[in-house]
Each structure stands twice: as structure tokens, then as C-alpha cells.
């Protein structure tokens, strides 16, 4: 996800993206805990995506 792509989305779409990212993060943490996660770098990528979406939401809501 790029910030420029996120800025084009509506607040509702960003909130849906955020929910799906939280779900993805949860699933990855569960896989990691059970030893099934092979691509550990994806955890950090999802965390950065969550931060990006939260930042853009904050910008759109008037800081």
C-alpha cells in the first residue's frame, strides 16, 4: 500500500482496510506462535500498513 493510494480512498474504505489489516495481523501472530509462519517479514509489513492507514485516517478527520 502506498500513501498516495490511501489518500484517494474514503474514510469508510480506510476503516474497512484497517479492520482487515488487524485481522491479518492477528492471523499472522497466531501462525507465528504455532510455528507455522514461514514469511516472518510480513508481520512488519502489516504493522507498517496499519500505521499508514491510521495516519491517513487521522489526516482526513481533521488532525
Amino acid at each position: 500500500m502506498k500513501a498516495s493510494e490511501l489518500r484517494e480512498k474514503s474514510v469508510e474504505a480506510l476503516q474497512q482496510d484497517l479492520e482487515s489489516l488487524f485481522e491479518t495481523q492477528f492471523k499472522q501472530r497466531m501462525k507465528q506462535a504455532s510455528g507455522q509462519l514461514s514469511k516472518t517479514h510480513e508481520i512488519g509489513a502489516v504493522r507498517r500498513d496499519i500505521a499508514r492507514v491510521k495516519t491517513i485516517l487521522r489526516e482526513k478527520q481533521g488532525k
Side-chain angles (χ1 to χ4, degrees):
M1 283 185 195
K2 292 188 176 184
S4 60
E5 295 172 0
L6 294 174
R7 284 189 176 93
E8 296 172 359
K9 292 186 176 185
S10 67
V11 173
E12 294 82 19
L14 288 171
Q15 288 174 342
Q16 289 176 352
D17 288 347
L18 189 59
E19 288 177 19
S20 68
L21 285 169
F22 279 134
E23 185 177 331
T24 302
Q25 183 185 35
F26 176 76
K27 288 178 182 178
Q28 287 178 345
R29 284 191 324 217
M30 291 301 111
K31 283 184 180 180
Q32 184 181 29
S34 64
Q36 296 176 355
L37 185 65
S38 60
K39 299 178 183 177
T40 57
H41 67 280
E42 289 180 355
I43 292 174
V46 171
R47 286 182 63 200
R48 284 189 295 276
D49 286 342
I50 289 171
R52 268 189 211 104
V53 171
K54 282 185 170 183
T55 301
I56 302 300
L57 272 172
R58 186 110 166 135
E59 287 176 3
K60 287 186 176 265
Q61 292 175 348
K63 301 177 186 179

